[in-house]
Amino acid sequence: MSIVAHLAHLTPILDRLDGWVRCHTLPIVILLQGELGSGKTTLVQRFCQAHRAPQATSPTFSVMHTYPAEDFCIYHYDFYLKEIHELLEMGVLESLECKGVHFVEWGSDALKEMLIKLGFSVLTLELQAHQEARIYRFSDG
């Protein structure tokens, strides 16, 4: 499924994410794929805002941020240039097992395959710039 939306008007994207979250058991992993500047962090910021969580910031240097929300915890990761063996050594798999919604920027297809084999609920959301808007392509495990 694809939706075109402007970064300032992400309500249709947030509604789709909320529907997906309601239909799955926590933990949930949402892999965000897209070029630099495509709006991955902005999407997490708006999701946090919609769920009354603290303002999200890019976890580029810390790898993970946690934001407590009303109904669940929101986890935000940045796996740019990280290989699966590095992530496993860092203990990321244990973090992904925490009950909540996990947004993973730069989540690879190899990571997706591994998580699905381990029984995680995984949604891939590809963001692509399109004129002044973005195309959001959803695909679940």
Side-chain angles (χ1 to χ4, degrees):
M1 164 186 232
S2 295
I3 300 173
V4 177
H6 290 268
L7 291 176
H9 304 286
L10 291 178
T11 302
I13 308 306
L14 298 173
D15 289 347
R16 173 86 169 123
L17 288 173
D18 283 337
W20 202 83
V21 168
R22 281 192 305 273
C23 292
H24 293 81
T25 304
L26 300 177
I28 293 169
V29 179
I30 301 170
L31 301 177
L32 301 175
Q33 299 176 340
E35 297 295 321
L36 194 63
S38 61
K40 297 180 293 291
T41 298
T42 299
L43 177 62
V44 176
Q45 289 171 336
R46 298 282 164 59
F47 188 85
C48 285
Q49 183 180 29
H51 290 276
R52 295 180 181 89
Q55 175 69 30
T57 58
S58 178
T60 301
F61 299 106
S62 62
V63 179
M64 181 185 83
H65 290 163
T66 305
Y67 309 106
E70 288 184 339
D71 298 325
F72 45 76
C73 212
I74 300 168
Y75 299 87
H76 185 198
Y77 305 82
D78 187 325
F79 291 170
Y80 185 67
L81 297 179
K82 299 277 192 261
E83 299 292 330
I84 289 182
H85 71 275
E86 292 177 85
L87 298 173
L88 294 174
E89 289 171 2
M90 294 168 50
V92 167
L93 190 57
E94 289 81 8
S95 296
L96 291 171
E97 292 174 336
C98 293
K99 190 174 181 179
V101 177
H102 299 260
F103 286 93
V104 178
E105 294 192 32
W106 305 103
S108 68
D109 289 334
L111 176 64
K112 177 181 179 175
E113 289 176 25
M114 181 187 77
L115 293 174
I116 290 170
K117 285 180 183 175
L118 292 171
F120 283 87
S121 295
V122 180
L123 173 70
T124 301
L125 180 52
E126 181 186 342
L127 292 76
Q128 179 183 2
H130 177 69
Q131 299 169 357
E132 297 297 315
R134 301 291 186 271
I135 300 171
Y136 298 84
R137 290 186 182 91
F138 297 82
S139 62
D140 51 348

